[in-house]
Amino acid sequence: MSPSQIIVLATPVFFLLIAIELAIGFKRQRNTYRLADAVSSISLGMLSQTSAVFTRLLRVGIYTALFEHMALWRNDVFWTSLPGWLLALVFYDFCYYWLHRMGHESAVLWAAHAVHHQSQDYNLSTALRQTSSGALLGWIFYVPMALAGVPPLVFAVVALIDLLYQFWVHTEQVGRLGWFDRWFCSPSNHRVHHAVNDPYLDKNYGGILILWDRMFGTFKDEDDQEKCVYGTRGLLDSWDPLWANAQVYAGLAHDSWHARSWLDKLKVWIKPPGWRPADVAERFPKPAFSMAQMQLYHPPMSRAVQGFALVQFGILLAGVAAFLWQADAAPLAHNAIWFAVLLVSQWALGAVMQGRIGMGMALMLQSAALATATSALGLTEWHWVFKPLTMAIAIILIAISAYSLRADGLFDSKNWWLMAAALAGSLAGDVFLMFSGFFIPGLVSFLVAHLFYVALFKSGQRWFPHRGALVATLGIGVAMYAFLWAAGLPPALRAPVAAYVLVIALMAAQAIGRATVLRDGPALLVALGAGFFMLSDSLLATNRFVQPLPWSQVWVLSTYYAAQALIVGGWLLGQQAGGSAPGRSQPAAPSAAITA
C-alpha cells in the first residue's frame, strides 16, 4: 500500500476529529472554524498530496539512490528491529527540526513552508494545510539518514508517523498538558509556533519532540497573558491555492530581479525572510508589520455560495481520493491530466468563495476541464456530456446575468443577443466536431460564431481602432494559411479555411483595438480570449492538416475553453460596469449579476 493510499484511508479519521473539535468549540462557545478558511486549508492539503505524485523522485528516489550507493553503514536487521525503528523515528524528528527551523530562517525555504502558516485560524484543518513545493529542497535535510543506512522503507514509515503525529497539535481546544509539554510537541507548544506575536516568533520547531528546541535555544512557553495571533506577517488575503503557494516566491523573485548587485540577487533567496537589499527597499518600500493593523481576511459569502462551496468541497474530496488511490498504478500522462482537472476545480472554488468569479463561471470552467480530460483520455461517452454542457452553462450564465442586469437598468438587448448567438454558434460547432464527417458544418458554425463576436466587439467602437493590431493579426492569419497550404491543405477546404482565418483575425483585431480604447481589465480579458481563440484554431489546423500533435486534444481544447471563459467573464464584467462606453476606464467588481 502506497503512502498516498494510507493518507486516503486516514482521511475519514481526520474529518471525524475535525467534527469532534467543531462540536466541542460550539459547546464551549469557542468555535475556531470559518467555512472558507477551513475549505481553503484542506484544499491546500489536497493540492499538496496530489502534486506529491509528481515529486516522488525527489522525496523518495534521491533518498533511495543515496542509500544504495553512499550509505556508510548497512544493517537492515538492526533498523527493522524495535530499537532501530525508535532510533530512526528520533533521527527523523531531529532532521525535521532543522528543516523546520531553516524553513523560518532562509527565505527560499520559507517560501515553501509559509503555506502552512497562512491561515489566520488555528484548528485541525490548519494541520492539513501543506505546501506543494517543499519537496524541491526539503530532501536535503534527510541525507544524513540515507548516509547512516536507514532503509528507504523505514524512512518512509517514520516520516509518515512524524507527519500524522503533528495533526492533533493544531487545536485551541486542548490546554496545557503538564509534563507532556516539557518533552513533546503539544497543542500549547505548537500554538506558539504558529503565532506572529513578537515573543513567539520563530519558536518551537519540534515535530514530535520539543526537546530539540530546549537543546538549541528555540523554545518558548505559551503565556496566558499573551494571546496567540495566527497567520503570517505578510498576509495572504486570498483563498487562491495557486497564489498561496506562489506568494512568497513571487515576492522574492521581484526583489531579486530589481536588486542592482548580483550578490544581493542571491542573498534575497538565502537570507532570513523579510531581508531586502537597501536599493530595493528604497524603491519599493513596504510598511513595517504592526499587530494593531493586522485584520482578519473574511470576505462575505451568501448562503447560496456557502452551500455551493460545501457541495463542491465534497465532490473535490471524492475526486482527490480517487486520484490518489490509483495514482501509483496510472500512467504519468493520465495523472497529469486528472491533476489539471482537480487544480482547475480547486482554483474555481477558491475564486467563488473570494467573490472573484460566480458559481456559473466556476461550473463552466470545471465542465471545460472535464471535457478536455475526457477527450484526451478517450472517454467518449463522458466527453459527449461535458463538451456541449460547457457552452450550455455559458449560455445559461449569460441568460441569468441578463435577467439580473435588466432590473438594474443596464440591459442592452442587442449586445446580449449577439453574445448569446456567438455562444450558440460555438455550441453548434462543438457538437458538429464531435462527429466524424461534420468538419465543414463545424467550421461554418464557428465562423458564424466569430462573426457575432466581431459585431459584439464593434458595439460602441470604431472598426479596428488599433491599426497595428489589425496588421499583426492579419499577418499571423496569412502566415498560418500559407503554412497550411504548403502542408497540403485539401483543395475543397481552401476557401472555407481562408474565410475562417480571415474572420478570426478580424475578431482578434477588433477585440484588441477595443481594449486599447477602453483600457480596463474586462476589455483586456476579452482581448486575451480572442488571442487564445487564434492559438486554439492554429493548433487544431496544424493537428488536422499538417501533422498530429502530442496531447493535441489537451492543447486545442484547453486554449479553446480559456478563450471562451475569458471572453464571457470579461464581457460580463464590462457590462456590469455600464456597457461598452468608451469613457469607461475602471474594471468592475463582480456583482450579483455575474455571481449567478
Side-chain angles (χ1 to χ4, degrees), residues 251-312:
L252 294 176
H254 172 274
D255 287 356
S256 180
W257 176 262
H258 288 284
R260 294 190 177 96
S261 165
W262 284 98
L263 183 59
D264 283 346
K265 290 179 183 292
L266 178 62
K267 284 182 177 179
V268 164
W269 300 90
I270 299 174
K271 286 278 192 176
W275 182 88
R276 307 180 78 201
D279 59 314
V280 175
E282 182 180 356
R283 284 189 292 159
F284 305 98
K286 291 182 179 180
F289 173 76
S290 169
M291 288 281 289
Q293 296 178 357
M294 191 172 179
Q295 297 183 350
L296 186 69
Y297 180 70
H298 190 60
M301 292 171 57
S302 67
R303 287 190 178 275
V305 171
Q306 291 177 28
F308 179 84
L310 283 172
V311 171
Q312 287 272 305

Side-chain angles (χ1 to χ4, degrees), residues 1 53 111 169-170 175 258 262 313 317 343 366 427 442 456 519 578:
M1 182 173 291
V53 170
V169 302
H170 292 81
H258 288 284
W262 284 98
F313 175 72
L317 188 63
L343 187 59
Q366 292 165 349
L427 174 59
L456 181 68
R519 296 181 180 277

Side-chain angles (χ1 to χ4, degrees), residues 504-587:
I504 196 169
L506 294 176
M507 182 195 74
Q510 187 65 39
I512 296 170
R514 175 177 176 271
T516 62
V517 173
L518 297 179
R519 296 181 180 277
D520 62 12
L524 178 59
L525 290 177
V526 171
L528 285 174
F532 269 105
F533 251 130
M534 291 192 72
L535 175 59
S536 178
D537 288 330
S538 297
L539 292 170
L540 175 63
T542 300
N543 182 69
R544 185 176 182 87
F545 300 120
V546 181
Q547 65 177 14
L549 299 175
W551 288 25
S552 60
Q553 291 303 305
V554 172
W555 310 127
V556 171
L557 289 177
S558 62
T559 51
Y560 166 69
Y561 287 125
Q564 295 284 20
L566 286 167
I567 289 175
V568 170
W571 187 78
L572 285 176
L573 285 173
Q575 292 301 300
Q576 175 60 26
S580 56
R584 178 169 52 83
S585 60
Q586 294 296 326

Side-chain angles (χ1 to χ4, degrees), residues 70 292 354:
M70 299 183 66
Q354 197 169 328

Side-chain angles (χ1 to χ4, degrees), residues 337-338 341-342 344-345 363-376 379 382-383 386-387 389-390 557 561:
I337 290 171
W338 286 122
V341 172
L342 292 170
V344 169
S345 300
L363 291 174
M364 178 184 173
L365 292 173
Q366 292 165 349
S367 180
L370 287 167
T372 302
T374 51
S375 176
L379 303 175
W382 286 107
H383 180 64
F386 290 112
K387 191 172 186 182
L389 178 63
T390 303
L557 289 177
Y561 287 125

Side-chain angles (χ1 to χ4, degrees), residues 164-185:
L164 293 175
Y165 172 88
Q166 294 176 55
F167 175 76
W168 79 281
V169 302
H170 292 81
T171 181
E172 293 191 78
Q173 304 299 343
V174 177
R176 294 177 178 274
L177 298 176
W179 67 269
F180 190 88
D181 292 338
R182 292 193 293 273
W183 294 92
F184 296 96
C185 178

Side-chain angles (χ1 to χ4, degrees), residues 8-160:
V8 172
L9 294 177
T11 298
V13 179
F14 294 153
F15 279 93
L16 175 61
L17 293 174
I18 286 173
I20 293 173
E21 182 190 28
L22 187 60
I24 292 173
F26 276 115
K27 183 176 181 181
R28 294 176 174 176
Q29 297 185 336
R30 287 173 48 202
N31 176 43
T32 58
Y33 280 87
R34 291 176 299 142
L35 175 62
D37 184 88
V39 168
S40 178
S41 289
I42 299 172
S43 180
L44 280 161
M46 294 179 191
L47 180 57
S48 176
Q49 290 298 318
T50 53
S51 63
V53 170
F54 307 98
T55 59
R56 187 169 292 112
L57 176 62
L58 290 174
R59 294 183 295 114
V60 179
I62 294 177
Y63 182 94
T64 302
L66 291 171
F67 169 80
E68 293 290 346
H69 300 289
M70 299 183 66
L72 302 177
W73 181 64
R74 295 286 294 270
N75 191 337
D76 291 6
V77 173
F78 167 75
W79 288 112
T80 53
S81 67
L82 180 59
W85 279 104
L86 292 174
L87 179 60
L89 182 59
V90 173
F91 196 171
Y92 182 93
D93 200 58
F94 176 76
C95 294
Y96 174 82
Y97 167 85
W98 286 105
L99 167 61
H100 199 179
R101 179 170 174 173
M102 293 307 297
H104 286 249
E105 296 182 2
S106 176
V108 68
L109 296 175
W110 170 248
H113 182 58
V115 176
H116 181 61
H117 284 262
Q118 289 163 342
S119 173
Q120 293 180 272
D121 296 338
Y122 190 77
N123 50 54
L124 292 179
S125 74
T126 310
L128 301 178
R129 185 186 187 100
Q130 297 293 330
T131 177
S132 296
S133 62
L136 297 178
L137 295 174
W139 61 271
I140 296 172
F141 291 84
Y142 300 105
V143 169
M145 295 185 69
L147 298 180
V150 179
L153 176 62
V154 175
F155 170 78
V157 171
V158 297
L160 189 61

